[in-house]
Amino acid sequence: MIKNDCYEVYIEDIGNDGEGIGHIKDRQNGRSFALFVKDTLIGDRALVRIVKVKKTYAYGRVEQIIEPSPFRVQAVCDKARSCGGCSLMHMSYEKQLEYKWNKVKSCLERIGGISGADALMEPPCGMETPYFYRNKMQLPVGRDRDGRIVIGFYAGRTHSIVDLDKCHIGHSINDYIIKYMRKWLEEFDNGTIAYDEESHRGLVRHILTRVGFRTGELMVCLVINGDRLKQTSSDALVGMLGEAVSKYNSSNNPEREIILKSVCININKEKTNKILGNRCEVVWGRGYIQDYIGDVLFNISPMSFYQVNPVQTKAIYDKAIEYAELKGGETVWDMYCGIGTISLCLAAKAGKVFGVEVVPQAIEDARENARINKIENAKFYCGKAEEVVPRFYQEADGSEEKHPNVIVVDPPRKGCEKVLLDTIGAMAPDRVVYVSCDPATLARDIKILSEHGYKLENAAVFDAFCQGTHVETVAKLLRSASVKIV
Ligand code: SAH
């Protein structure tokens, strides 16, 4: 296969960045190649020009869509193609759900070695309205080629900023924040108000917003390449944000009144891709907002990890609770507990809950969240799960903690370390509930757990990142009765 050759291809699948995937046979030697083609959808038949050839796969560029996919729809956002956030917005929502469900099924079968996994899988759980669902936005600030201030999103896989005035997946208060922040930036523009990545000069790098969907509480945090805002500009900032909120509240029909509770700065003077620096300061109001998941109240600060889709988070946690099958007296471990969200939702239904998390600030938040909810049966440990739990297992004498009834894990995309899975095998809980944001590592870890006698009983797929490619899964694994506790 040679660069610049053209092939006709049928798109069968979608890759992690939303690119279409099809298969073609090399004209010269008949070998099969996977072809990755941006801007195509499952069901498209397209004429594609080869732009890069690797050993078993190649990248192509669409020359012509010969027959458009029946699943193609008009994206509701006219920036969807350039912005990296919503790579599936051109696909009907039903098809998005089917694609995500199939992705989980195929990982469980191919990587997990579970044949007929579909029989164990519940139908996909999507959203009634798959838009305006995000409670958190991180909007980069910069300038376009003409020097105008831009606020928006990074174009897919790049650091050039697509200017936005409306986002279709964020809470709609963000449209007002963007508008008034633009006014504020322009008013105080002395040439260095907006950050420039290349020269590492300029002040405002990102605008971070968080909304409590249940409480209506709003936080706006400016990430700055400096130590402080000048008094006049910070007073004007608070005034501007107040105006944005009151305009939103008096607009046509806001779902819920928004209350500005917190204006902060985050100091990030490093030349880095990381959005947040290590230090936050309150400019106005409190340093956190509050929100509920179910009946549990959480304090959320700019730096805390908090699931971004509150509606689906509730559905995911409810499924995790259902799969945990708690009757009241059980001992439960919650590995990768973040600010204690799952642990505290489980605590009311269990005897004791132990949470483990690597970020010290998150553990402080988890303890504080237990306190404000008057939950006394949750204990939190700080450290890497793969270090804390094996050590605990070797050193602790309490057999209840060593041999809990249920273990919940909710790891980042790379999944669990093998030593943790082996320790879970030794701890021998009756049930393992695995909450996963990457079906490939989920399937790999289920395979390791199966060597310890665990079998997949059920799995449920959730769409928490509607219009994007990510998928969440909750899996329930049962220990077979023949496996002895050592
Ligand atoms: N269960 C929480 C957080 C899930 S995200 C919630 O639903 O909100 C995954 C969490 O794992 C993050 O908080 C991250 O800081 C933490 N983490 C990452 N690596 C870890 C490790 N090796 N050990 C323990 N926690 C880890």
Side-chain angles (χ1 to χ4, degrees):
M1 191 176 324
I2 317 171
K3 201 173 151 179
N4 280 327
D5 275 0
C6 276
Y7 281 82
E8 189 179 316
V9 61
Y10 178 76
I11 303 296
E12 308 140 33
D13 202 358
I14 297 275
N16 288 337
D17 294 317
E19 71 284 14
I21 306 174
H23 286 88
I24 48 171
K25 278 209 161 47
D26 189 326
R27 279 189 203 111
Q28 271 84 40
N29 56 25
R31 270 183 35 217
S32 178
F33 269 72
L35 185 59
F36 296 88
V37 195
K38 232 185 128 236
D39 296 334
T40 56
L41 268 193
I42 295 179
D44 278 336
R45 185 170 293 286
L47 187 66
V48 174
R49 188 176 294 280
I50 307 295
V51 291
K52 198 172 183 184
V53 184
K54 298 279 193 181
K55 243 190 181 150
T56 56
Y57 60 95
Y59 295 95
R61 196 181 52 226
V62 191
E63 286 288 302
Q64 187 199 344
I65 301 278
I66 300 167
E67 203 184 310
S69 162
F71 314 112
R72 242 174 215 283
V73 293
Q74 178 71 38
V76 296
C77 175
D78 60 1
K79 302 273 171 67
R81 186 137 275 167
S82 46
C83 161
C86 293
S87 45
L88 295 186
M89 209 177 233
H90 299 89
M91 203 195 261
S92 74
Y93 189 56
E94 222 167 88
K95 192 68 188 173
Q96 290 185 29
L97 293 180
E98 187 189 310
Y99 152 70
K100 291 181 184 186
W101 192 89
N102 277 332
K103 186 164 159 181
V104 175
K105 168 182 176 291
S106 129
C107 286
L108 291 173
E109 293 185 346
R110 265 186 318 111
I111 306 169
I114 302 161
S115 59
D118 48 342
L120 308 175
M121 290 171 62
E122 303 192 31
C125 171
M127 291 189 83
E128 223 168 278
T129 309
Y131 301 106
F132 308 111
Y133 60 81
R134 285 186 67 99
N135 57 18
K136 173 182 168 185
M137 301 286 276
Q138 299 184 119
L139 305 157
V141 175
R143 283 181 203 275
D144 65 10
R145 279 203 207 101
D146 304 324
R148 269 192 300 262
I149 287 171
V150 288
I151 304 175
F153 273 96
Y154 291 125
R157 283 180 167 251
T158 75
H159 267 210
S160 68
I161 300 171
V162 178
D163 198 35
L164 276 190
D165 41 37
K166 181 171 186 64
C167 172
H168 287 79
I169 59 168
H171 189 291
S172 44
I173 182 66
N174 287 290
D175 306 346
Y176 291 80
I177 294 172
I178 293 173
K179 183 170 163 196
Y180 283 86
M181 280 306 301
R182 205 185 288 281
K183 259 177 136 171
W184 179 81
L185 287 162
E186 281 164 4
E187 193 174 319
F188 289 90
D189 189 11
N190 51 0
T192 57
I193 191 101
Y195 183 65
D196 172 49
E197 253 187 24
E198 236 158 74
S199 64
H200 187 48
R201 290 187 51 212
L203 188 64
V204 181
R205 303 171 72 128
H206 269 86
I207 302 165
L208 167 75
T209 73
R210 276 189 142 149
V211 187
F213 272 52
R214 290 263 300 277
T215 56
E217 295 191 1
L218 169 70
M219 159 185 290
V220 178
C221 176
L222 295 196
V223 184
I224 59 170
N225 175 33
D227 289 302
R228 64 189 69 82
L229 296 177
K230 287 205 187 93
Q231 193 61 43
T232 45
S233 61
S234 79
D235 290 347
L237 172 71
V238 176
M240 224 37 123
L241 291 171
E243 216 176 315
V245 168
S246 77
K247 280 278 178 337
Y248 172 82
N249 286 337
S250 57
S251 69
N252 282 342
N253 53 4
E255 302 121 61
R256 173 169 287 99
E257 182 164 281
I258 293 292
I259 312 149
L260 182 62
K261 280 281 175 182
S262 169
V263 181
C264 305
I265 50 170
N266 173 274
I267 289 129
N268 184 359
K269 295 195 283 187
E270 305 287 313
K271 194 167 175 26
T272 165
N273 280 343
K274 259 181 69 183
I275 295 179
L276 291 180
N278 296 327
R279 195 154 61 86
C280 278
E281 274 174 27
V282 177
V283 170
W284 180 89
R286 293 191 309 220
Y288 59 92
I289 57 164
Q290 295 193 307
D291 199 23
Y292 287 93
I293 302 176
D295 301 328
V296 187
L297 182 65
F298 292 94
N299 282 359
I300 307 150
S301 58
M303 325 255 297
S304 329
F305 177 89
Y306 188 67
Q307 300 283 353
V308 298
N309 182 331
V311 172
Q312 294 299 75
T313 298
K314 171 79 170 56
I316 290 167
Y317 290 2
D318 282 350
K319 186 54 73 180
I321 292 168
E322 179 195 319
Y323 282 177
E325 283 183 54
L326 300 176
K327 306 234 155 34
E330 292 88 347
T331 302
V332 182
W333 279 80
D334 175 22
M335 320 268 186
Y336 309 89
C337 67
I339 60 167
T341 38
I342 296 180
S343 325
L344 298 177
C345 290
L346 289 168
K349 301 189 166 62
K352 275 188 229 160
V353 181
F354 298 94
V356 189
E357 159 65 43
V358 72
V359 175
Q361 178 62 45
I363 286 293
E364 272 175 43
D365 290 347
R367 290 182 182 137
E368 175 66 9
N369 288 326
R371 198 188 58 74
I372 62 174
N373 288 285
K374 301 191 170 56
I375 292 173
E376 285 168 359
N377 59 340
K379 191 168 169 186
F380 295 97
Y381 295 95
C382 187
K384 289 185 177 168
E386 60 272 23
E387 290 172 7
V388 170
V389 181
R391 200 180 323 126
F392 182 91
Y393 183 72
Q394 271 168 7
E395 290 169 7
D397 351 289
S399 77
E400 278 174 16
E401 287 88 337
K402 282 176 82 160
H403 298 295
N405 307 84
V406 180
I407 293 181
V408 179
V409 296
D410 182 7
R413 264 177 221 140
K414 67 177 185 189
C416 302
E417 296 281 325
K418 185 162 184 305
V419 291
L420 177 65
L421 296 168
D422 291 342
T423 308
I424 291 175
M427 292 166 92
D430 299 328
R431 294 173 288 289
V432 174
V433 178
Y434 196 129
V435 181
S436 155
C437 51
D438 184 327
T441 55
L442 166 71
R444 178 201 67 196
D445 292 352
I446 288 181
K447 193 159 185 199
I448 297 173
L449 285 170
S450 76
E451 289 155 18
H452 294 281
Y454 287 87
K455 230 176 128 225
L456 181 66
E457 168 88 358
N458 276 126
V461 174
F462 293 85
D463 188 24
F465 300 94
C466 318
Q467 320 302 336
T469 52
H470 290 306
V471 53
E472 295 273 324
T473 312
V474 185
K476 174 183 183 183
L477 292 106
L478 296 186
R479 183 168 56 92
S480 54
S482 58
V483 177
K484 276 211 197 97
I485 301 179
V486 281

